Amino acid sequence: RFEEVAIKDYPSSIPPVFSRLKAKKGTGGDYLKTLLPAVHIPIGLPYPKGAILVGQDAINENLYMVDFYEDNAFLFYQSSHFKTSILSFTITQEDEDSRQGVWWDYLLRQRISEPLSVWVGIGEMVKKKDAKKTRKTDVSTQFSLNFPKTKMGIYADAGYSSQERTSMKKINWQTLEAGMQLTQYTNDSQVNLMLSGMYQPDAPEKEELIIRGRANDDNSLKGNKLALISAEYTRPVLSINGGLWNPNIFLYDLCLVCFTEAGFAEGQKSQVSAGIELWQEFGGFLGYIKGAMAVIGVVETTKEKKNDLTGYLSIRFPTSKQAGMQPGQKKAEGRRQNSGFRMRIGN
């Protein structure tokens, strides 16, 4: 009968008596004292030399990262204190050039029982380079579909920019950006496909597009109409799942990544690269940081009908808060969603 299987009601928990615990109630700002950097990573490679500092508060509302090396410095701060919205702020200093940006992303729709979520956002960035000052305001929207084995994100971004130069007339132009990312999980592996494009025909300067495995040099694609296609297959080859308490670090899976990328720019020859990477997933510092480090990457690059093999080391600290494409992922300039550094070690 029903009475025989019914779950009995248990008494509710009793709030602790703080006087007996010799403790006192804290204020809303006490958790900010936990924002001291919990991660200190010195960069001692031949180039660059510097350090990375990462920290967040005890309730995971405020997150920041600082990295500095040589004459460059970068600060990223993100707050989710006001729920259903994310506030991000960045400062970048590269030699004599500087960038400051602020973005606000708002979760417009999300249901536990439904796969669709919608984000909207607005942001502004100011860049100073030489005698030029560029200001950009953009409005974005993003749709994410999350299924058990399939995740997809689509975003669109419309921006208005203005540039001021010494003793020259102010220049204005518009920018349209769009992209899609699809992730398909198959047993122990996953397949990622990404498409992105940018259209700003009236911009006074050409944007740069660097595909994976290529160095930042004069051979990179430059233009005001750019497109990128990227595909990769990732599979764990070794599950370590072990680590140390002091220093606090934990190693997860060692993954093999096979990838190919193609970049396109109007009036230029397309560039294609393909290769393999070996990524070690890691976490540590009491959960403050999770990321992945490329032990070695070997890339075969199509370059003037010649094959160029390149090796590099790389480390990244993703800050994703949702599946598919996270808010602001397309804002590559002035905002690092996958932050870190890459060092070229071969030609």
Side-chain angles (χ1 to χ4, degrees):
R1 295 183 309 174
F2 175 76
E3 291 79 12
E4 296 177 352
V5 296
I7 299 176
K8 297 181 179 180
D9 293 332
Y10 288 92
S12 58
S13 60
I14 302 175
V17 180
F18 289 97
S19 59
R20 296 180 182 178
L21 297 175
K22 297 182 179 180
K24 63 179 181 179
K25 292 185 177 180
T27 62
D30 284 347
Y31 65 91
L32 296 177
K33 300 176 183 179
T34 63
L35 276 173
L36 292 175
V39 180
H40 313 80
I41 303 177
I43 305 175
L45 300 173
Y47 182 83
K49 293 182 176 66
I52 299 175
L53 304 177
V54 181
Q56 68 181 30
D57 57 44
I59 59 177
N60 197 24
E61 284 189 350
N62 298 277
L63 167 71
Y64 69 91
M65 187 187 77
V66 181
D67 65 70
F68 50 90
Y69 51 92
E70 304 296 336
D71 296 327
N72 301 335
F74 172 77
L75 167 65
F76 171 78
Y77 169 79
Q78 187 175 82
S79 175
S80 58
H81 177 75
F82 300 99
K83 299 305 180 185
T84 71
S85 68
I86 301 175
L87 179 65
S88 304
F89 178 75
T90 64
I91 298 178
T92 305
Q93 184 72 39
E94 298 178 356
D95 299 324
E96 300 297 327
D97 305 334
S98 64
R99 290 193 298 267
Q100 300 88 36
V102 59
W103 290 271
W104 179 69
D105 296 295
Y106 179 76
L107 180 59
L108 189 64
R109 184 186 189 278
Q110 188 176 49
R111 301 287 188 275
I112 297 177
S113 59
E114 299 178 9
L116 176 64
S117 61
V118 181
W119 288 81
V120 293
I122 185 171
E124 182 163 337
M125 184 189 68
V126 177
K127 179 173 65 174
K128 295 181 180 180
K129 184 176 181 180
D130 301 328
K132 297 174 294 185
K133 180 180 179 181
T134 305
R135 182 184 299 272
K136 180 182 179 182
T137 302
D138 60 58
V139 179
S140 62
T141 182
Q142 176 186 299
F143 302 87
S144 296
L145 287 171
N146 299 320
F147 298 96
K149 290 189 176 182
T150 305
K151 298 178 181 179
M152 183 176 68
I154 300 175
Y155 78 84
D157 184 295
Y160 176 82
S161 303
S162 63
Q163 187 178 92
E164 298 178 359
R165 302 189 184 188
T166 305
S167 68
M168 292 186 67
K169 186 179 179 180
K170 187 176 181 181
I171 305 172
N172 302 316
W173 71 93
Q174 292 78 39
T175 302
L176 296 176
E177 296 181 64
M180 181 197 76
Q181 180 172 316
L182 176 66
T183 300
Q184 178 67 47
Y185 297 96
T186 58
N187 297 328
D188 294 334
S189 61
Q190 71 181 53
V191 178
N192 292 322
L193 174 65
M194 187 185 72
L195 308 174
S196 63
M198 184 190 66
Y199 178 78
Q200 51 175 18
D202 300 325
E205 299 177 355
K206 295 182 178 180
E207 292 290 335
E208 187 175 36
L209 175 63
I210 303 175
I211 63 176
R212 195 186 319 194
R214 296 185 68 95
N216 186 0
D217 53 26
D218 296 333
N219 295 317
S220 59
L221 294 172
K222 296 180 180 179
N224 292 331
K225 300 177 183 178
L226 302 172
L228 175 69
I229 301 177
S230 176
E232 68 176 31
Y233 173 80
T234 304
R235 184 179 183 84
V237 294
L238 180 63
S239 294
I240 301 176
N241 292 327
L244 301 173
W245 174 253
N246 190 16
N248 186 249
I249 187 169
F250 191 88
L251 301 180
Y252 299 100
D253 292 336
L254 182 66
C255 299
L256 179 67
V257 180
C258 302
F259 72 89
T260 181
E261 282 192 1
F264 307 89
E266 186 181 36
Q268 299 183 47
K269 293 182 179 180
S270 59
Q271 295 182 354
V272 181
S273 69
I276 59 174
E277 294 175 335
L278 198 60
W279 284 92
Q280 175 61 62
E281 298 175 342
F282 67 88
F285 301 94
L286 303 179
Y288 276 90
I289 185 172
K290 288 185 178 180
M293 180 175 62
V295 178
I296 186 68
V298 180
V299 181
E300 182 178 354
T301 306
T302 302
K303 178 180 178 183
E304 298 178 356
K305 298 181 180 181
K306 295 181 181 179
N307 292 331
D308 180 24
L309 297 180
T310 303
Y312 52 85
L313 297 177
S314 181
I315 187 171
R316 61 189 180 191
F317 306 103
T319 59
S320 298
K321 287 185 176 294
Q322 66 174 42
M325 299 183 66
Q326 70 177 80
Q329 189 173 20
K330 66 280 183 184
K331 302 179 180 72
E333 187 174 31
R335 181 176 185 179
R336 301 183 185 180
Q337 293 297 331
N338 289 297
S339 304
F341 69 92
R342 173 170 293 191
M343 183 187 70
R344 187 183 179 96
I345 61 175
N347 296 314

